[in-house]
Amino acid sequence: MLTLSKQKQKQKHKQLLAVISLLLAIVSGSVLSAETKVLVLLSGESDIYRSLLLGLQSTTAATPETTITFVARQVDDENAKEVRWDNYAVIVSVGTKAARQLLKVPPKTPVLSVLVPKTTYESLLHDSLLHEKGGEEKGRDDLGPDQTLNRFSVIYVDQPYSREFVLARKLVPDLRSIGVLLGPNSSKNLPQLKEEARRHQLILNKVEVDETRQDNRDIRDLVRESNVILAIPDPVAFNAQRAKWLLYQAYQQRVAVIAFSKSYVDAGALAAVYSTPEQIGRHAGEVLQAMLRDPNYTAHSDFPKYFSITVNDSVAKSMHLQQPDLEQLRQEISQAELLREQRLGHGSPE
Amino acid sequence: MVHLSKLTPSSWDFKTRVFVLAVAPVVLVAVILSSYVASSRMQDVEQSLLDRGNALIDHMARMSEFGLFTGNQDLLTSLTQSALVDNDVSKVMIFDETHSVIASSIRSGDVGALSVKLASDDERNNDYLFIEKPIYDSGVQAFDFSEEFAVPSDNDVSRTHQPMGWVEVVLSSRSTKERRKEILLYSLLITLFGLIVSISLAVRISHGVTGPVRRLSLMERKLRGGDFGARVEVKSGGDLGVLEEGFNELARTLGRVDYQLKQQIKAAVEELTKTVAKLESQNRELDSAKNAALRASEAKADFLAKMSHEIRTPMNAVIGFTELLRKTKQNREQVEYTRTIHQSAQQLLNVIEDILSISKLESGTDRVQRMSFDVRNCLEDVVSMLGPTAHRKSLELVLLVDSDVPERLLGDPGRLSQVLINLVNNAIKFTPKGSVTVEVSLEALVDHVARLRVSVMDTGIGIAKGNQTDLFAAFVQADSSMSRRFGGSGLGLTIAKRFVELMGGDISFESELGRGSTFRFRVSCDLDVSTEISDYATILQHVVALIYDGNPFSRRAIRNNLLLAGASTFVSRTLAQVPAMLEGQDGLPQSYNVLILSLGASEISEPDLEECVVSIRRIYSGPILILVSREDYELSPTMVKDGMISSAVKPVRRDTLYLKLHTLSHQNKDHTGLDALRGGSPDLNSNLSFNKYHGVKLLLVEDNEFNRILVSTLLTQKGLCVELAGDGQQAWMAARAEKYDIILMDIHLPIMNGEEATRKIRTTDGPNRDTPVIALTADIFSDKQGGLTAAGISDFVFKPISEDKLFEKLDLWLWKNKASPQRDSALTSGLYQAQPIQEMLLEAEGSSVAPPPVPEHLLEKLYQELPLRRVSLADAIEKGDFKLLLEQAHQLNGVAGYFAFTDLALKARALEKAAASGNTREVAINYHAVSLAIETIVEEHGEE
């Protein structure tokens, strides 16, 4: 429900933003100049960010209607602090650190944040909104929280749970029960998990862990009770030790682990649905174009549109599972998501 | 006790060197290798323990990670238990993060490990090794974008680096230590074994090398010591074996060679001994033979001496009595017989004389004298002596001396004379007619050594070629028939040859039968450079002489002598040519101031000569010197009256010639040439005053009548007024009665001797107190003690009295206090004393007849005196009174010298010397020579 109300709000915000932008354009004399400058704020020097940026650039370059000039800045760069946000049409933040930086003092320029975990982004956004309210009190900002929200689009780094569920269903034929290990962040999404389990008619077993608790026995029990363990991204639940321990238990009891990352598959999980930085960058490029094209663009929160599937062959073999056609599997998942969106779109009130 | 030097490698013996060479590298390598291997092995063992421990603990750390994570104590305990499988592991413990023990296992029974304290990493207890390692949780990465999922406030990162526990392993190092000991032990054992094996091998090898070498060196020492039987045992193989065999072979060879050498030496020694013995016996024989020969020689000499005496004494008697017999009235037959007896006896004596000379020569007792002598005098003496003999045979005897022949030489004039006498005698003997020429020339003059060549040429019978070979051999005459014809012992040439050889010369001859012979000898004499030589070069400077001589040699001799004195000469070969030359018809200038007519024997009769002179006088008024070959020639009263004619006997002595010429020139008052001569020689002029001694009163004190006559004759001839005294008493009486200018005093006088008489004259106040008294003595040592001088004797004249010496002294003392022209230097007397020409000229002043200026009666007296003298000599010998003999001989010498019997004088002098030496044999030989000479003189006189 919350989601629906937000969407409405977003639309309103969009409209308002469009009006203001138009006005501004008239005043300034040129709203859409031939050169559009985009600031890319990177969280660090990691290759992941570079790959993503490359994906972004190549996507925008494919549509030559507008010339986009990317100015890349790192969060830790001293110059970044003096950057005048107003000079840019859109600011793209890459990574959690950049997103946090931007959301601390939100600019008036539309922002697209990528590569941020969903729970993290939500908490950051929450904090930012609170901050805006405080600023309103001081008379600094004339924009309301809705308007602010409307400027911030995001592409999460997480995969939607449905994809893992579908993958689990596809890989493990007689799937009945599913186990999840939840940490402080991921436990918030329990309802969605439950909803998905219900949808797939699966029993959902869960163990909630925190940083201090000694929960090895619980995890062993969880694995024992479930046909498949779905790994839900949470840094606390899936610290190195627990991730290992889980794999160890799963391996001992021949229980498949469906993961959210290629790394975990490499470590011993059966399979994973995940997005590469390029895929995310491509998605981000599409969103950026849309944002630049439509002055009244409504802010979106999206899961990665493009994704990949990987299977640990050794694990699959040891579990006597058939080697699936990964591409076909991906398409099936994509189609299932489309159908579901349509169904939701049909079913969802406008 | 090891000597210190043995420790230095340089002093090691061969054995030690070989041993060290073999062992040292092995020991070195073994020790280094084994210690290296042992230490590395021990390190390996330790390292392996450590490695095992580390490997174990790594394993444990990984394995216990899960157990620790899950808290599975059972799992951990089983893990620790499993670690104990390794025997070295004593204890394993696992701790959790709070260091409390979770699991531990200890080896049962290892009590030490329980009490081991926990220590830090790698720390080693004495027996234990501790290793500890932390256990980390490795974990897995679940996120692709882990950064995005990182919890900002999370301390996850530090947690992962915190160790979740520890593993500790305690390793026991006991077994390691045992292992190390074991290694050490094995290493030592192996090294020891290796060393023992290598040393024993080295010892064996060194024995194999040094043993033979030692044996060889031992053997070499034996060989060196002379043990050639030594052998070395041939044990070794290879090179050493060959060497050993070689040594044995060497020893065998050496032994063989040694043996052979010894044998050879032995044989040689034996032979040598034999030879030596033989030589010794030969030597003995030789010695005895030599002794026998010497004895024989002595016996021969003795025999000869005895024989000569034994024969000569009776022979003297025979001759003496024969002479006496001849003086008795005899008929013709008797005279003939007596003459034959006398002649035969004389010949016999000559033969004996020659034999004695020969034996004397052969015995080698003759020695050559070396004294200064006047060469020409010596030669002229001989020629003058033999002149009469030649003249008797009507032979011309010529002495031709080249002008370059030195005046004085050092040599033996006696020997020279004897040789010449023999040769000339021989020549005269074998020349029936013609001439005998003695030619003397200087062959060489090198470094003050003059080589004279004397040739005696005759025109005699010559010698057939076949008889020439043995001419100089003793007792050989050219023809045995000759001895019958010519008599003589045949020893003359032999003696001549021996004498020439004795003087270092040589003699040779050439002869042609019927044409004559030439005997030639050469002698070398040193020049006498010490004696002042008279310079004749200007004596006859202004004389221009015309010389006639039929004999070319004689002519040349005369001419040579004149030229030598600076005269100009012209010659005429024939007598007939003389007047023409004097007239100047031959175109030559008529400026002759002397005419010399040199006549051969029997060339012209006395009346003819007188006629010839008379005819010459018609065209020539100058001085004429007639030279004749007759001793008895006397100028005819006409010629004497002429006053410008003088005569001399050929061969004329050079000095005589000069004197005669000078006297003649002096007499030629009209002649400017002689005036010039006087003017040219003022000294001579003043001294040449006539009768220098005229009016000089002289007392001659002499007991010997003969001497008295002799000396007084000499003195009166010079114009002195001589009074005689026979003994000291008479002398003293005479001296008291009358004043004399000078007194000649014999020392040995009867009644009162000369010394006493002189003293009396000197001490008594008489007219002759300061009159010079010249002593006449034969004893040159008579005034040894100065007694005579003390007695008042002014000077001495030694007997035999030399005319020169005598007048020298007279001159000295007569004009002592006046301005004397004489030289003051006292000249020593001698037979061949040089006579300066000036003195000779003075001598010539009072005499127109010379030499010898002996009156006939004196000669007669001499001929009677000589045999008596001989008898007294013989008496003295018989008595063995050599002192007496010496005096007798001395007097005879003087007499003979005075009468120019050179041969006799020489022989008498030799006898005198022999008497002085006291040698009986010498005395005998010389006596016979004297005797023979006397015989010759007397005989010749008798023949006339």
Side-chain angles (χ1 to χ4, degrees), chain B residues 6 47 163 227 251 394 469 540 603 684 812 851 856 922 943:
Chain B
K6 282 212 164 194
Q47 191 61 48
D227 179 9
S394 296
T469 43
L540 302 176
E603 185 181 330
L684 263 176
L812 184 65
E856 195 64 29
E922 286 281 309
E943 277 170 5

Side-chain angles (χ1 to χ4, degrees), chain A residues 118-119 122 158-168 178 180-182 185-197 199-200 230-234 258-260 273 303 333 337 340:
Chain A
K118 186 171 175 268
T119 50
E122 280 168 354
D158 319 47
Q159 300 292 321
Y161 299 140
S162 58
R163 286 181 189 167
E164 286 186 56
F165 273 91
V166 172
L167 187 59
I178 212 159
V180 288
L181 187 64
L182 298 173
N185 279 336
S186 58
S187 56
K188 296 170 190 166
N189 298 326
L190 186 62
Q192 283 98 314
L193 285 168
K194 280 182 177 169
E195 177 57 31
E196 280 297 320
R199 197 203 297 263
H200 288 281
L230 284 187
I232 305 299
D234 183 303
I258 303 298
F260 50 84
V273 57
F303 287 107
I333 290 167
E337 270 183 20
R340 195 169 156 197

Side-chain angles (χ1 to χ4, degrees), chain B residues 84-131:
Chain B
L84 292 178
V85 171
D86 193 329
N87 284 330
D88 289 334
V89 178
S90 296
K91 189 176 172 185
V92 182
M93 286 191 286
I94 298 173
F95 304 88
D96 68 2
E97 54 193 337
T98 60
H99 275 292
S100 36
V101 180
I102 303 296
S104 92
S105 294
I106 296 171
R107 180 170 296 285
S108 57
D110 194 344
V111 186
L114 285 171
S115 58
V116 165
K117 232 177 82 189
L118 175 67
S120 59
D121 264 5
D122 271 13
E123 195 177 320
R124 241 166 271 198
N125 192 300
N126 195 18
D127 288 331
Y128 298 96
L129 177 68
F130 294 88
I131 311 173

Side-chain angles (χ1 to χ4, degrees), chain A residues 49 95-96 115 117 157 211 216 233-235 238-241 243-245 248 260-264 275, chain B residues 65-66 69-70 137-145 147-156 159-160:
Chain A
Y49 304 139
T96 310
L115 218 63
V157 72
E211 286 158 17
N216 291 338
D234 183 303
F238 279 88
N239 67 20
Q241 285 71 39
K244 188 179 160 192
W245 179 242
Y248 180 73
F260 50 84
S261 68
K262 191 174 186 302
S263 300
Y264 207 29
S275 294
Chain B
E65 184 187 326
F66 186 72
F69 182 75
T70 55
D137 190 351
S138 50
V140 296
Q141 181 54 267
F143 294 89
D144 280 349
F145 312 110
E147 290 212 4
E148 317 312 328
F149 291 99
V151 183
S153 58
D154 215 344
N155 56 353
D156 225 19
R159 241 189 79 187
T160 50

Side-chain angles (χ1 to χ4, degrees), chain B residues 392-407:
Chain B
R392 276 201 291 278
K393 290 182 77 172
S394 296
L395 297 173
E396 183 123 24
L397 182 57
V398 183
L399 173 65
L400 181 58
V401 183
D402 281 359
S403 55
D404 58 351
V405 171
E407 292 293 328

Side-chain angles (χ1 to χ4, degrees), chain A residues 106-147:
Chain A
K108 306 231 168 11
T109 317
V111 173
L112 171 61
S113 296
V114 294
L115 218 63
V116 191
K118 186 171 175 268
T119 50
T120 307
Y121 187 75
E122 280 168 354
S123 70
L124 286 175
L125 196 62
H126 178 71
D127 292 347
S128 182
L129 286 175
L130 284 175
H131 184 262
E132 285 215 348
K133 276 174 191 164
E136 210 173 19
E137 284 164 14
K138 291 167 191 170
R140 260 187 68 207
D141 196 22
D142 52 346
L143 286 174
D146 285 355
Q147 281 181 321

